[in-house]
Amino acid sequence: MSIRTLDDLLVEGVSGRRVLVRADLNVPLDKQSGDISDDGRIRAVLPTLGALVEAGAKVVVCSHLGRPKGAPDPQFSLRPVAGRLGELLGVPVRFATDTVGESARSTVDALADGEVALLENLRFNKGETSKDDTERGAFADQLAAFGDAYVDDAFGAVHRKHASVHDVPARLPHVAGRLVLREVEVLSRLTGEPERPYVVVLGGSKVSDKLAVIEALLPTVDRLLIGGGMCFTFLKAQGHEVGSSLLEEDMVETCRNLLERSTGKIMLPVDVVAAEAFAPDAAHDTVAADAIPGNRVGLDIGPETVAGFAAALKGARTIFWNGPMGVFEMPAFAHGTRGIAETIAKSDAFTVVGGGDSAAAVRALGLDESSFGHISTGGGASLEYLEGKTLPGIAALEN
């Protein structure tokens, strides 16, 4: 890639200059208290923001949170993020109550060297996600007015053709932040010549969400281990009863074709935890994967599968994991995800956790994040990178 970096910008000097930073502060908020339940994405952008603060820049941070419908919605406000960001960064963070309005303008104008401001949720303005180039460009014009330079450190959003990601870089001198640079360097190792054996673990709910990455990975991986809700469509393709487990009927034939073409690379569960209902306290048993009762729902992979997957991971030199093995949010059905995560954490391989629910599971289960080679902040972005897609945010930085 021919991308300028944050270090290039720092060498040029940022003291007294306004630097607009697109961060990914899309953190989960507790529905009851409104508190941040996982601040991993805030921590991930600290190296970039800290370097700019130390260099005396006037730092203007922007981000989205959730999926508001192009208008202000209190439940998606970034205000709680401003407080937590200030605590972690060690400097007060001024908060603008709008994106490009009077509050944003006055907040940015009041910044002194080395100070930080956070704009309100970008998706409160419909121009951020608009598919109309003119509407999106008009919003980008307003955002770009807040910066003398632009830094993209929001890897979790680089696969979106949004104003703050795709259009603002065309209007300002632009560089990649430290997080984006690290993400691209790591994923490039997986798409180039990964050290072998190369084993990929895929979970999550739907085959349709992962079909493109499965197609892209099959020719390059040595083993592909499939768990989570998506495994039941594969089991159905093998002719097994899956009860009331998650099933994509329209994907059964596709899965059958993938199994035929995989030349034995795809490994499926041999046992699952089948429950009477989708509930944390539901009665459940471990059953063979080819003997799921018709009135049961599979919510986790079983212990034999964990052992089999662990054996397949042993000796791997490169491991990529994306997607939980079961409903890890419910303790009774978290054993599969924990078992696979702990196996990967102990591996001597180069290990990459592909963001999204996998990264959330690592933190929710209390595992040591430093045990993994890299934990991506972008689930969708990392998968699209591995698929070989052009990511709008990366393409904008290359231009």
Side-chain angles (χ1 to χ4, degrees):
M1 295 188 311
S2 54
I3 291 179
R4 296 178 72 244
T5 70
L6 178 67
D7 287 338
D8 294 324
L9 183 64
L10 293 173
V11 167
E12 293 169 2
V14 295
S15 181
R17 299 174 66 192
R18 297 170 307 157
V19 179
L20 181 65
V21 180
R22 177 49 162 105
D24 180 10
L25 305 177
N26 184 27
V27 296
L29 300 175
D30 185 272
K31 291 181 179 179
Q32 254 60 57
S33 66
D35 294 335
I36 297 167
S37 53
D38 180 358
D39 63 7
R41 282 179 168 163
I42 303 176
R43 293 178 181 275
V45 78
L46 294 179
T48 288
L49 296 183
L52 289 168
V53 168
E54 187 176 343
K58 299 175 180 180
V59 186
V60 182
V61 185
C62 60
S63 176
H64 74 282
L65 192 153
R67 297 181 181 272
K69 306 298 183 182
D73 185 337
Q75 69 175 317
F76 297 116
S77 175
L78 280 168
R79 185 180 288 279
V81 175
R84 183 58 178 152
L85 177 59
E87 291 173 5
L88 293 173
L89 201 53
V91 298
V93 173
R94 300 172 183 263
F95 181 66
T97 57
D98 55 30
T99 54
V100 291
E102 179 55 39
S103 177
R105 288 190 294 270
S106 61
T107 301
V108 172
D109 287 345
L111 284 177
D113 296 357
E115 290 190 338
V116 182
L118 175 63
L119 307 181
E120 183 55 284
N121 194 333
L122 291 168
R123 291 186 182 175
F124 285 0
N125 189 306
K126 62 182 180 180
E128 167 67 359
T129 59
S130 176
K131 288 181 169 49
D132 181 85
D133 290 349
T134 301
E135 184 176 32
R136 208 177 56 248
F139 182 53
D141 287 339
Q142 292 176 294
L143 274 177
F146 293 141
D148 301 308
Y150 169 86
V151 178
D152 189 345
D153 215 27
F155 183 75
V158 294
H159 60 314
R160 307 292 188 191
K161 191 178 179 181
H162 291 170
S164 63
V165 174
H166 176 263
D167 300 277
V168 171
R171 290 156 169 80
L172 291 172
H174 48 270
V175 302
R178 289 183 174 158
L179 172 62
V180 164
L181 197 63
R182 170 65 177 160
E183 295 270 15
V184 172
E185 287 173 346
V186 165
L187 293 174
S188 294
R189 289 181 63 174
L190 301 184
T191 55
E193 293 292 335
E195 192 175 351
R196 297 184 179 282
Y198 176 23
V199 181
V200 171
V201 185
L202 291 181
S205 57
K206 295 182 178 180
V207 177
S208 54
D209 291 342
K210 305 283 173 69
L211 178 60
V213 78
I214 292 173
E215 292 275 10
L217 288 171
L218 263 183
T220 61
V221 302
D222 295 295
R223 297 302 297 271
L224 178 57
L225 318 181
I226 295 179
M230 63 188 289
C231 78
F232 298 105
T233 303
F234 279 93
L235 292 172
K236 184 73 171 181
Q238 290 184 321
H240 303 316
E241 169 66 56
V242 297
S244 54
S245 306
L246 187 61
L247 175 67
E248 291 181 281
E249 286 280 7
D250 60 340
M251 295 297 294
V252 171
E253 186 58 37
T254 299
C255 289
R256 187 176 293 119
N257 179 262
L258 286 169
L259 289 169
E260 289 172 356
R261 290 193 288 119
S262 72
T263 61
K265 288 182 179 180
I266 293 178
M267 188 171 179
L268 297 174
V270 294
D271 62 344
V272 301
V273 180
E276 291 183 350
F278 188 91
D281 57 352
H284 55 276
D285 298 292
T286 299
V287 300
D290 60 358
I292 301 172
N295 62 347
R296 291 283 182 119
V297 53
L299 298 182
D300 196 11
I301 59 174
E304 285 189 37
T305 300
V306 172
F309 281 11
L313 289 164
K314 187 177 182 180
R317 299 307 304 157
T318 305
I319 298 172
F320 175 74
W321 168 39
N322 179 278
M325 297 292 99
V327 189
F328 73 92
E329 298 89 346
M330 301 179 186
F333 311 111
H335 300 294
T337 301
R338 177 180 291 280
I340 296 307
E342 289 179 343
T343 298
I344 295 172
K346 294 172 184 174
S347 173
D348 293 329
F350 174 61
T351 58
V352 180
V353 179
D357 288 339
S358 315
V362 168
R363 289 188 278 269
L365 296 173
L367 303 177
D368 182 1
E369 294 181 50
S370 66
S371 300
F372 300 88
H374 179 71
I375 299 179
S376 178
T377 56
S382 63
L383 289 179
E384 290 195 18
Y385 192 97
L386 294 183
E387 289 167 29
K389 287 186 176 181
T390 297
L391 306 184
I394 299 299
L397 293 175
E398 289 179 316
N399 293 332

